[in-house]
Amino acid sequence: MFGIVRPCSHRLGEGLKTQWMAHLCGLCLALRGDHGQFARVVTNYDGLLISVLTEAQAERSTGWRRTAGPCPLRGMRTASVAQGEGARLAAAVSLVLASAKVRDHVADKDGLLARRPVALAARRVAASWGRAGARTGSDVGFDTAVLVDAVDRQVGIEALAGPGTPLLTVTEPTETATAAAFAHTAVLAGRPGNAEPLAEAGRLFGRLAHLLDAVEDRETDAASGAWNPLTATGTPLVEARRLADDALHGIRLALREVEFTDGKLAHLLLAHELGRSVDRAFGTSGCGHQDHADGGRGAFGPPQHGGPYNPQSLQSPYDGQNPYAGGGNPFGGAPSFPPPGPGRRGFWAGCAAAIGVCCTCKVCCADEFEGPWSRKKREGCLGNCDCDCSCCEACEICECCECCSCCDCGL
């Protein structure tokens, strides 16, 4: 799973969580149905927005849902999942963009892809995904050539970019690709009048996705020597945050022009959760238009040294002395220590545990689960709660963005 829109289950509520999972499973099953089991690995959170937007605009009918059979990733439970052209368009876009991502990693010789046999296999997979996405796109009337062209232009633009190059020049191909995909949801839903505002929302979403990816990877790219748009163009974080805030505001304004049949989920994901993604990437919380003088260190500033939770301020009750040393073991012999807590699993034991975690749906649905190898507590995909779960939080967000008065979303 990857993507920038990762909603918290507490904010979604039971009804919207069910809808969100229906689109996520629908995308996964559309990939499997048209392209085989392996294609399911490109399932991503942002791709399902295409399915969400299509259904949100369409007139209600009985053809948008079906009951899927038991799945290991759902704990062998059945579920109502999204189907139809929206899910297939989402699958086509996900395949083409995943194909481009693999080719990009191969070109950069990232990790194992620096090895020629692995790179050759990855290229074949990428080419297969590209052809498969083109076929499915054609079936739903979407020409994926615009996506392929955007990817090809991206390579050339990055090669020419340097200090002083406008950052929006680098994000333009991504903007063009997502604008086309968002606009086509209006065609599939039979609402051609929505194509223009959705194209604008898609263009700004593509900009935001590119920016947030660059911000999150900045330190990693610097350590590995990989190309990063912020570093290459010399763009400071403050300017990147300003562009992200402007894009977010533009998406909210564009959504006001879209005519939805039921836009609750689409509105929450694109008007509210997207703002949280911006805060998460820049290490801040609250409204995105706050002062950035902290240099991106977060709303609460740098960690404070000292205090009751600073490890350096904690003292051992034994003042560094081993209580078992010098004959402290009542049974004699070597010093005895309390048994250690659960440690890391070995490679094969971790693999077995990972299969168990996936087959019991804990990764997706559990609030907390044990890491297969580290045995540390992890949060599930829908249990990643960064909110106080108060009933007034959504209302406060609505006042900040002034976009909820345009619809009957109830947020």
Side-chain angles (χ1 to χ4, degrees):
M1 303 295 182
F2 55 94
I4 64 173
V5 183
R6 304 191 292 271
C8 167
S9 59
H10 295 94
R11 289 192 298 270
L12 285 175
E14 195 59 37
L16 293 182
K17 176 183 175 182
T18 300
Q19 289 186 41
W20 191 83
M21 287 298 297
H23 287 286
L24 184 62
C25 291
L27 170 57
C28 181
L29 293 175
L31 287 164
R32 184 201 68 179
D34 288 345
H35 311 294
Q37 290 284 0
F38 185 65
R40 300 171 81 174
V41 301
V42 307
T43 303
N44 65 94
Y45 294 138
D46 293 345
L48 69 87
L49 288 173
I50 302 295
S51 179
V52 170
L53 285 171
T54 304
E55 186 175 285
Q57 300 171 76
E59 295 296 333
R60 286 291 163 263
S61 67
T62 57
W64 291 100
R65 289 284 190 276
R66 71 178 179 88
T67 300
C71 174
L73 297 180
R74 290 193 300 269
M76 298 309 295
R77 296 190 299 268
T78 61
S80 177
V81 302
Q83 66 171 351
E85 294 184 328
R88 298 190 70 200
L89 175 61
V93 172
S94 296
L95 280 168
V96 174
L97 295 183
S99 170
K101 191 76 171 178
V102 171
R103 292 201 303 271
D104 183 56
H105 285 307
V106 170
D108 292 340
K109 297 182 179 180
D110 292 336
L112 291 176
L113 295 176
R115 301 180 180 180
R116 184 172 298 179
V118 178
L120 180 60
R123 287 194 189 95
R124 289 179 177 175
V125 170
S128 174
W129 282 349
R131 291 191 297 268
R135 288 196 303 270
T136 300
S138 178
D139 290 343
V140 296
F142 180 66
D143 186 3
T144 58
V146 66
L147 305 183
V148 177
D149 175 69
V151 171
D152 292 340
R153 287 190 297 108
Q154 185 75 54
V155 176
I157 289 173
E158 290 182 359
L160 296 175
T165 302
L167 188 57
L168 298 188
T169 299
V170 180
T171 64
E172 181 274 324
T174 307
E175 295 177 21
T176 301
T178 50
F182 273 46
H184 196 68
T185 65
V187 177
L188 296 182
R191 292 187 183 270
N194 287 342
E196 185 175 348
L198 282 175
E200 177 67 6
R203 182 179 67 83
L204 295 172
F205 180 83
R207 176 184 301 178
L208 201 51
H210 202 135
L211 284 172
L212 299 190
D213 182 65
V215 170
E216 292 178 341
D217 293 346
R218 191 170 63 104
E219 294 183 0
T220 304
D221 289 344
S224 64
W227 193 90
N228 184 284
L230 298 180
T231 305
T233 60
T235 304
L237 280 180
V238 172
E239 175 63 11
R241 180 63 194 255
R242 185 189 68 80
L243 292 172
D245 288 340
D246 288 347
L248 180 62
H249 183 63
I251 290 171
R252 289 167 171 170
L253 293 178
L255 289 178
R256 299 179 67 170
E257 306 300 322
V258 180
E259 184 179 353
F260 288 114
T261 301
D262 181 2
K264 277 187 179 181
L265 181 59
H267 181 88
L268 186 139
L269 295 176
L270 289 170
H272 300 307
E273 292 300 331
L274 201 51
R276 296 180 183 279
S277 299
V278 173
D279 290 332
R280 183 169 56 241
F282 285 91
T284 61
S285 62
C287 181
H289 297 87
Q290 60 189 332
D291 182 16
H292 308 306
D294 61 356
R297 292 172 293 176
F300 301 101
Q304 299 295 320
H305 298 289
Y309 301 106
N310 180 9
Q312 296 178 355
S313 69
L314 299 179
Q315 294 183 352
S316 167
Y318 304 109
D319 294 324
Q321 299 298 319
N322 183 353
Y324 297 96
N329 181 359
F331 301 101
S336 174
F337 295 90
R344 293 176 58 87
R345 291 188 178 95
F347 177 76
W348 295 112
C351 290
I355 294 172
V357 167
C358 291
C359 291
T360 54
C361 202
K362 289 184 178 180
V363 173
C364 291
C365 305
D367 288 336
E368 191 178 73
F369 65 94
E370 189 179 78
W373 286 275
S374 67
R375 306 190 75 168
K376 293 180 180 179
K377 295 299 182 183
R378 308 290 187 190
E379 292 181 340
C381 298
L382 288 179
N384 184 22
C385 182
D386 57 358
C387 63
D388 61 9
C389 305
S390 63
C391 61
C392 298
E393 185 177 3
C395 301
E396 294 170 0
I397 297 173
C398 293
E399 288 184 10
C400 175
C401 69
E402 298 180 350
C403 60
C404 297
S405 59
C406 65
C407 64
D408 297 323
C409 68
L411 295 175

